[in-house]
Structures are given as structure tokens and as C-alpha cells.
Amino acid sequence: MTRMTCLSINRLRPIRSTLGIAAGLALVSAATPAAAETPWFPMKVYDASSGTPKPAEYTPLPKAEKPYKLCILFPHMKDSFWVAVAYGIVKQAQAMNVNMTLYEAGGYENLPKQLSQFDDCMASNPDAIVVGAISGAGLSKKFEEAKAKGVPVVGVANPLPPNALPAAIYVDFVAMGEVTGEGLLAQAKPGDKLNIVTFPGPAGSGWAESFNEGFKKAVAKNPNAKILAEKFGDSGVAVQLQLIQDALQAYPNMNVIWGTAPTAEAAIGAVAEAGRSDMKIMSSYENQAMLDALNRGDILAFATQYPVGEGAISVDQAVRLIEKKPVMSLAQPLASAVDKTTVPKLQMDLVLAPGSWKPVYSVKAK
């Protein structure tokens, strides 16, 4: 496997849930080539700070004024999407010469663990926290506690309630779901009956529901497209495989599977085993497995939100908040559908971490 698509949870998960685990985490020196030396920026985004998204370009500060201490919280590191976000965070932390420690909760079913890790972050006296929230609503009280103590919090990759935090970077998930629906309709032949089961991801995450909403909005434009069922579940391959196998039994006329990247990854084998060569498979977001599957012709398309860029921007937003400098309070990447015709134009270094990169959990400033 050339990239970290099916990562060992035991290897990646912090050894303990507390912050006294530095000895068990990999350290990386800030002397590594910096993100500022790559052509990531300026990155095209929408500035949605005012509530009305406007086209903009994002360029980070060249360096932080001091070697600040950032604490990073992720839902999990079970697929290369979050590895890509981590890569962007690590490279930008190196570029700006700040300290960073990252913790992951092990899955979207583990909100209590992320809440505990947030407490651990606060106890470590960070200058800022960056969080990929398992549930924005579920973390709302923690956000208020951080605000009361003067610790800025930045949201990365996953959606949050409006104005929940002083800064965030995440895509318009409804729009991202919509581009995949439009991509499906564009590849369908006139008169094709599209019998669809959606597998949006974990209920309550916010992004899963929004992806699903956008997809349904797009396919509703075709009277031959019908949503047979919506199956929510954790975005691990094992959970998604069980949901797909159940759907294959329950909906024999299903001929389109749309859902998360792990859904599509699981569907490829399940569909082959079931002898359903007629099945169309689409992913609502990107990871390395989706790129490989697209190149093999196993899926029709996937959508991207440029997770490496999201990670990098979140670090810059945190530094700007610490230094009380102007900050884009809501930056949104430009979602786009990727199929075989568009993949050659994709700026891949903003989508996936390099194949040779192994996740690290701490950056030590010079």
C-alpha cells in the first residue's frame, strides 16, 4: 500500500488519553523543508466571514512571532483524508516555527474521548487549539470554556454551528455533496434508471447530513433518479461494509452506491463478490484509495475539499488569533468533483500527503 489508507489504529492512536505521553509520540524537527517553500499558496478559497461566500486567495503569515504551543484534536486517523489534514498541519507548523501536539479520538463514536482530550489540551496551557470536531454541538460547552480562559480555538475540516469559533476552515458540505450528485447525473445515459442508496457517514457529525442533503438536491433534478434508502454509520471500512452488504440484500434493484470514501472502498469488493458489475460507485470525498480506485475504473468520481490546504490554513488562523492579527474567520475550500477527465488537472499536493510521509504527532519548534 503506497499511502496510509488503512492505518493501524493502535500505532496511530496516542498511547494514553492524557497529555503526559510525549515520550510515546514521534517528534519531527522544524528544520524539515517548510510548507512556505511549496506552491500551496496563495490558495483559492471562499471567504465566508460575512456569511456570504466571496472568492478570495489565502496566504499565511511567513512566520509566528514566537514558538507558540498548539494542541490539535482529530476524530481519528483511520484513513488518508485525516492523514492529509495532519500533513498540512505539520508542514505549516514547521514553516511558522510553532510547537504542535496532535491527538485523535479513534472514531466518530468516541465523542466522550474527544471531550476528555479537549480537557487535556486545556490543562497543558496551549496558546491555541485546532479541532476537527466529532460534533460541533457536542463540543460547544468546551468552546465556551476555552473562550472564557482566553484560549483561541480553530475548527478544521468538519462543520460547526454558525459563529461557534473565532476562526474555522471547512468546505460548504452541501455544495460538495451537490457536485457529486451533478457528476453522477452527467455520467448517466438518457433514460437510465438510477436506484440509489446513500451512505453519508456518521449521524450527528453535521458533515454527513450536509453531504447527503447536497447530493439529494442535485439528483432530484433527474426524474429517473430515486433514493431508496439512507444508511448512516461510522466512517470505518468495516462498518460501511456491513451496511453495504445489508443494502445489497434489502434493495436488489439498487444500482448506485454513494457515500464516504470508506464506503466506496468497501463497496468495490462487496459489489464484485455479489457479481454486480452494473453498480455505479461514487465517493463524497477524497482519500488515496479513491484516487487509486478512480484510476482503475472502480468508481465514477469523488469530490475534493483539498484537506492538506485545510490543515495548513488552520495553523495560520490559530497563529493570527494568538497574535490578534486580521483573520479570515470562515475560509471555505472550493469543492470540486474529480473524474478521469479532471484528475490530471488536480493539484494533488493539496489533496493527499506524499506517499513517503508517515504521520507524526508532534512538531518541536527551533
Side-chain angles (χ1 to χ4, degrees):
M1 197 173 301
T2 59
R3 295 181 193 250
M4 310 292 286
T5 54
C6 296
L7 301 167
S8 167
I9 298 172
N10 291 330
R11 178 164 62 86
L12 288 173
R13 188 174 293 162
I15 297 170
R16 300 191 187 99
S17 62
T18 64
L19 291 178
I21 63 174
L25 299 175
L27 291 174
V28 60
S29 167
T32 307
E37 297 170 357
T38 72
W40 292 355
F41 300 105
M43 177 177 161
K44 293 184 183 300
V45 297
Y46 289 116
D47 181 354
S49 304
S50 67
T52 302
K54 299 176 181 178
E57 290 187 336
Y58 198 104
T59 300
L61 298 168
K63 196 174 182 181
E65 293 177 356
K66 297 179 182 179
Y68 303 116
K69 182 179 180 182
L70 306 185
C71 194
I72 317 295
L73 299 174
F74 278 6
H76 64 80
M77 289 275 275
K78 292 190 285 189
D79 65 42
S80 58
F81 174 88
W82 284 104
V83 172
V85 181
Y87 177 70
I89 285 174
V90 167
K91 299 301 285 184
Q92 195 62 31
Q94 293 169 346
M96 302 187 81
N97 196 39
V98 296
N99 297 288
M100 179 280 291
T101 305
L102 186 156
Y103 300 89
E104 57 95 9
Y108 279 93
E109 70 279 13
N110 294 336
L111 177 60
K113 183 171 182 179
Q114 190 169 68
L115 293 170
S116 175
Q117 289 176 331
F118 197 103
D119 289 339
D120 292 339
C121 276
M122 289 295 294
S124 73
N125 296 314
D127 294 295
I129 296 172
V130 175
V131 58
I134 288 177
S135 166
L139 283 163
S140 60
K141 288 186 179 179
K142 299 300 179 186
F143 296 159
E144 290 299 321
E145 290 172 11
K147 182 179 179 180
K149 293 182 179 180
V151 178
V153 182
V154 173
V156 64
N158 282 351
L160 297 164
N163 304 312
L165 294 176
I169 167 78
Y170 55 84
V171 77
D172 180 334
F173 287 88
V174 174
M176 192 165 169
E178 196 168 354
V179 300
T180 58
E182 291 168 350
L184 173 63
L185 298 184
Q187 295 197 46
K189 297 176 182 177
D192 277 358
K193 298 289 185 183
L194 302 174
N195 296 313
I196 309 161
V197 175
T198 70
F199 301 82
S205 63
W207 58 264
E209 290 86 353
S210 294
F211 271 150
N212 201 44
E213 177 187 344
F215 177 76
K216 291 194 297 181
K217 179 180 176 183
V219 299
K221 299 170 186 175
N222 187 330
N224 290 320
K226 182 180 180 182
I227 306 291
L228 302 179
E230 302 166 20
K231 302 293 184 180
F232 288 84
D234 181 66
S235 55
V237 173
V239 171
Q240 293 299 311
L241 177 59
Q242 186 61 58
L243 291 173
I244 290 163
Q245 290 173 335
D246 292 346
L248 284 167
Q249 293 292 324
Y251 308 99
N253 62 333
M254 171 179 70
N255 61 9
V256 177
I257 290 173
W258 174 92
T260 69
T263 306
E265 189 174 353
I268 293 167
V271 165
E273 186 176 346
R276 293 293 307 276
S277 59
D278 62 314
M279 192 75 69
K280 297 176 175 64
I281 302 171
M282 294 193 70
S283 174
S284 58
Y285 62 86
E286 68 282 81
N287 66 16
Q288 178 62 36
M290 292 304 93
L291 179 62
D292 295 341
L294 180 67
N295 289 332
R296 291 194 307 265
D298 290 336
I299 66 172
L300 289 182
F302 62 84
T304 184
Q305 56 187 291
Y306 303 100
V308 173
E310 287 182 305
I313 287 173
S314 71
V315 170
D316 180 72
Q317 288 174 310
V319 171
R320 287 174 181 271
L321 289 172
I322 295 166
E323 296 181 352
K324 302 188 185 307
K325 292 179 177 175
V327 62
M328 192 180 294
S329 62
L330 180 53
Q332 295 187 316
L334 278 60
S336 58
V338 181
D339 58 26
K340 279 194 170 183
T341 66
T342 59
V343 72
K345 305 170 187 176
L346 197 61
Q347 188 175 352
M348 197 56 65
D349 57 351
L350 284 174
V351 177
L352 295 168
S356 60
W357 191 75
K358 299 193 185 314
V360 294
Y361 285 83
S362 184
V363 169
K364 186 175 181 181
K366 296 178 184 177

